[in-house]
Amino acid sequence: MLYRPLAKMRSYGNKVRWLVTLSSGLAIVVVASGLSLLSYRDVLVTSEQELATLAALVSTNASAPLEFGDRIYGAEALAALSSVPAVGAAALHDADGREFATYRRENDPPPKIGLAAPGLTRSGRWHVHTTPIAEGERALGRLQIVQDLAPMYRHLVQNLLLALMTAIAAMALVWLASRRLRDALIAPVDELGRAARQVSSTDDYSVRAKKLTEDEMGDLADAFNAMLARIERQSAEVRAAREEAELASRMKDEFLATLSHELRTPMTPILGWAQILKRTGSSDPRALQAADVIERNAHVQMRIVDDLLDMSRIVSGKVSIELRAVDLAEVVEAAISTVHAAAVARGITIETRIDPQLPLVHGDPNRLQQIVWNLVSNAIKFNREGGSVRIDLRRVGDRAVLGVEDTGHGIEPEFLPHVFERFRQADSSSTRSHSGLGLGLAIVRQLVHLHGGTVSAASEGTNRGARFVVELRFAPQQHASGEVSAQREPESASLAGLRVLVVDDEPDARELIATLATGHGAEVVTAESADAAVRLLATFEADVLVSDIGMPERDGYALLSELRGSANERLRHLPAIALTAFARASDRERALQTGFNAHLAKPIEHDSLIATIARVNREGGVAGPSPLAPA
């Protein structure tokens, strides 16, 4: 099309000038337009990535509100999107697709968009990003964020207009200055193209284009560099926010571990001496009553600590269960035996009706016992003096159904929907008649759900009692060899003739453990540190080592590592028990991997300690590395 007009020109110089001018102008238009489109593509890709990152962060914050049905906190999680101007709207939907919480910006909100499939879709000028929210294998709902693409469209148009203006100016300058000026104009475009290609291929937003001129191409370079700087800053902010969240999570875990240790340590002598007072007897019945009260309340205090730690693990997704075939009847009986004393103290009768032919269920025996313990403890706690608790376990279809019913204060209708929520109590005033943190039933619900079961609550109202029902699946295969029962309190054993070395930096704990072991016939020597223990073992031929973990200078892990690496064969194979306030599953695993034969969490029951000392002495040898070894 250009050849014919150029062919009619008589002057070769005019032909060259027009050809150079038009080709240069066309080249600049193509390059600038390509750069604009490349920039738009990069901005669009970056926007999609940032939208996905933003959706991931918001969905993490929204999982807890969805799981616990908290619409207020769900709306607050979405309200954080108001700081992102490009977000036009957002919505949380529950697992059934119902709208749970919404957010819409005030200026130029998007039209109502229905729930889309997971992933990224477009609707006109809007990007719709849908993110599934789940807890493990269980779907909680979806998060949908609607992003406005209008600013990117405007940015593209501005870039194209700028490219056109640049081309016109270039053609005029080339017409006047010919080839030399044309070369000068192409250099900035080449630089922008180089920077754009480098960013596109490496995703390195620290790259900058050199500004070679002060004209429109220089402005384009400034705009391009400003865009890269903005994207780089936003990416850094996202990384910093993620690192801050990870740091906060680690600090929380460390704080909870320290809290557990500091609360468990003083509870060890409290509970231990109370049990000794009860066992040794007294002529004063009030002293026996006082020991019983101390022991009972010490157990309550430790239950509160355990509930806090369990809820923290549940919220952070760190609770795991080991499913196997379990005799649920034995689990229920074991749980009842642990609360029987508390029921007797209040004159409450526990009635049981258990199907003896019930098949095995699919579950974790320890967690199942925790479920039953929490339900029965609540039934006793919220009952009236002289009331009763009825526990029935029966088969309904392919499920085991456990019912716990009391004759106590009941549940008000308006509170019944919130009875399984964390930290929710029917009476949270300073004059409330019952203690606790409001975590027990929340933990029950989470543990039941982890087992694939259901739990429900019912009450006819105040002073009409309450009934809780748990349904669990039967085990798919029921073999006698696979049956696992709940852990029961071991029977007391004799330590006659055993030589025991007790290592603990707390004098009260050392004295307590020594008193318990001596009372069962053991010869006991104590040490206040790891170094003192090593010196004693040079002359004292201990049969069993009972060591604390958290000690100054050198901890229990360092002590046992030295013994297991000793040239003395007796010390290398010395049976060892970790008796510590570090009670997490990870602490138990580390203790067993270090070489301890058993891990016991403070405060320890009298009979459990004595039975464990007798057992590790009987089994002897060095513990294996398996975290599933018995404790």
Side-chain angles (χ1 to χ4, degrees):
M1 294 179 63
L2 293 175
Y3 175 75
R4 290 182 181 179
L6 289 174
K8 293 179 181 180
M9 292 182 181
R10 296 290 182 181
S11 171
Y12 183 76
N14 287 338
K15 289 181 181 180
V16 172
R17 292 182 69 186
W18 276 110
L19 182 60
V20 171
T21 300
L22 292 175
S23 62
S24 299
L26 181 61
I28 291 179
V29 167
V30 171
V31 171
S33 298
L35 182 62
S36 299
L37 293 174
L38 181 61
S39 172
Y40 171 74
R41 188 201 68 179
D42 290 342
V43 171
L44 185 61
V45 170
T46 302
S47 174
E48 292 173 355
Q49 293 173 346
E50 292 176 350
L51 182 60
T53 301
L54 182 63
L57 291 174
V58 175
S59 62
T60 299
N61 295 333
S63 61
L66 277 173
E67 186 171 5
F68 300 111
D70 194 330
R71 296 179 181 271
I72 295 177
Y73 283 105
E76 289 181 359
L78 295 183
L81 295 170
S82 62
S83 62
V84 184
V87 174
L92 280 175
H93 297 267
D94 61 18
D96 297 325
R98 296 189 297 271
E99 194 170 81
F100 184 80
T102 61
Y103 160 75
R104 291 175 68 83
R105 69 183 182 190
E106 297 181 359
N107 297 326
D108 193 19
K112 187 71 173 180
I113 299 177
L115 181 61
L120 187 67
T121 57
R122 290 189 184 181
S123 179
R125 58 179 267 203
W126 309 98
H127 256 166
V128 181
H129 193 283
T130 305
T131 304
I133 303 176
E135 179 70 26
E137 298 295 329
R138 184 168 57 88
L140 301 178
R142 294 184 182 181
L143 167 67
Q144 183 165 289
I145 300 178
V146 182
Q147 182 187 32
D148 193 356
L149 298 179
M152 283 182 281
Y153 293 156
R154 288 194 294 270
H155 182 72
L156 175 61
V157 172
Q158 290 172 358
N159 281 352
L160 292 175
L161 290 175
L162 183 59
L164 179 60
M165 292 174 61
T166 303
I168 294 173
M171 290 174 69
L173 293 173
V174 168
W175 177 257
L176 296 174
S178 191
R179 185 177 297 275
R180 291 180 62 185
L181 187 56
R182 184 176 77 82
D183 293 340
L185 288 175
I186 288 202
V189 177
D190 288 340
E191 172 60 19
L192 286 173
R194 179 203 64 78
R197 286 190 297 273
Q198 186 174 351
V199 171
S200 178
S201 61
T202 63
D203 289 331
D204 181 6
Y205 296 103
S206 65
V207 173
R208 296 293 181 267
K210 296 179 181 178
K211 185 177 180 181
L212 301 178
T213 65
E214 296 298 333
D215 58 7
E216 289 87 346
M217 294 303 297
D219 295 338
L220 182 59
D222 287 339
F224 182 76
N225 288 335
M227 177 190 67
L228 289 177
R230 185 164 55 252
I231 295 173
E232 182 182 17
R233 184 170 59 254
Q234 291 173 349
S235 299
E237 290 173 354
V238 171
R239 286 194 301 270
R242 182 170 60 248
E243 291 171 358
E244 183 178 354
E246 292 173 352
L247 176 61
S249 178
R250 289 195 300 270
M251 292 178 64
K252 181 200 68 174
D253 290 342
E254 292 172 1
F255 169 76
L256 288 174
T258 302
L259 174 66
S260 173
H261 180 273
E262 294 303 313
L263 290 176
R264 288 176 181 275
T265 296
M267 292 302 296
T268 298
I270 293 174
L271 183 61
W273 284 110
Q275 292 175 343
I276 289 176
L277 285 175
K278 288 178 60 178
R279 292 173 183 271
T280 55
S282 173
S283 58
D284 186 355
R286 289 180 60 83
L288 293 177
Q289 181 184 8
D292 184 64
V293 170
I294 293 172
E295 180 185 15
R296 188 166 62 251
N297 283 277
H299 282 297
V300 171
Q301 189 74 17
M302 290 315 304
R303 186 70 259 166
I304 293 175
V305 174
D306 290 340
D307 284 350
L308 279 171
L309 296 176
D310 278 339
M311 183 51 65
S312 174
R313 296 187 190 106
I314 288 171
V315 171
S316 60
K318 296 180 180 178
V319 171
S320 61
I321 58 175
E322 299 177 10
L323 297 177
R324 64 196 74 176
V326 180
D327 186 340
L328 189 56
E330 290 194 11
V331 169
V332 172
E333 291 172 356
I336 293 174
S337 68
T338 62
V339 299
H340 183 265
V344 171
R346 299 190 57 202
I348 294 174
T349 303
I350 297 180
E351 305 172 4
T352 60
R353 186 166 61 252
I354 298 176
D355 182 356
Q357 303 300 320
L358 196 69
L360 305 179
V361 300
H362 202 52
D364 184 316
N366 295 320
R367 292 301 186 179
L368 289 175
Q369 185 169 339
Q370 186 177 0
I371 292 170
V372 180
W373 188 93
N374 273 330
L375 290 177
V376 179
S377 295
N378 262 19
I380 295 171
K381 176 180 177 181
F382 293 99
N383 217 324
R384 57 173 58 89
E385 297 287 341
S388 64
V389 175
R390 290 182 292 276
I391 303 170
D392 58 271
L393 180 61
R394 66 189 189 283
R395 176 175 185 167
V396 177
D398 62 345
R399 295 200 166 208
V401 178
L402 170 69
V404 179
E405 185 174 356
D406 63 70
T407 58
H409 303 289
I411 306 172
E412 296 181 358
E414 58 270 20
F415 183 73
L416 194 58
H418 309 288
V419 72
F420 292 106
E421 295 178 7
R422 285 181 294 158
F423 305 110
R424 290 293 294 267
Q425 296 176 313
D427 180 8
S428 58
S429 67
S430 60
T431 58
R432 63 193 178 126
S433 57
H434 300 285
S435 61
L437 300 177
L439 291 176
L441 292 179
I443 292 173
V444 165
R445 181 176 66 173
Q446 296 300 323
L447 293 179
V448 170
H449 286 176
L450 286 175
H451 283 81
T454 61
V455 60
S456 60
S459 176
E460 296 182 3
T462 306
N463 297 322
R464 303 286 297 274
R467 178 174 174 82
F468 292 84
V469 177
V470 175
E471 296 187 15
L472 297 169
R473 294 174 299 181
F474 289 127
Q477 296 180 350
Q478 299 177 24
H479 301 293
S481 59
E483 180 180 341
V484 178
S485 303
Q487 293 182 352
R488 296 179 177 273
E489 182 178 292
E491 296 182 359
S492 182
S494 172
L495 305 182
L498 284 185
R499 290 162 297 183
V500 179
L501 174 60
V502 177
V503 187
D504 201 305
D505 61 315
E506 291 289 338
D508 291 340
R510 290 199 306 271
E511 184 178 358
L512 170 65
I513 300 169
T515 301
L516 291 175
T518 302
H520 285 75
E523 177 186 351
V524 180
V525 173
T526 63
E528 72 280 2
S529 67
D531 291 337
V534 172
R535 290 193 297 269
L536 282 171
L537 287 170
T539 56
F540 180 69
E541 295 188 1
D543 296 309
V544 176
L545 169 68
V546 179
S547 177
D548 188 18
I549 295 297
M551 296 183 293
E553 298 179 2
R554 290 208 299 162
D555 59 19
Y557 298 130
L559 169 61
L560 197 68
S561 295
E562 178 178 346
L563 297 182
R564 294 300 183 233
S566 172
N568 187 319
E569 184 177 357
R570 178 178 59 84
L571 297 182
R572 285 203 310 272
H573 298 87
L574 176 64
I577 300 170
L579 179 57
T580 173
F582 292 110
R584 296 174 300 179
S586 59
D587 298 319
R588 178 175 181 270
E589 179 179 349
R590 181 181 177 186
L592 296 176
Q593 289 180 337
T594 302
F596 281 100
N597 300 76
H599 172 276
L600 297 177
K602 294 180 180 179
I604 186 64
E605 293 288 344
H606 181 148
D607 289 340
S608 295
L609 174 62
I610 301 305
T612 303
I613 292 175
R615 177 176 62 80
V616 299
N617 174 72
R618 182 174 62 254
E619 295 174 354
V622 179
S626 172
L628 301 179

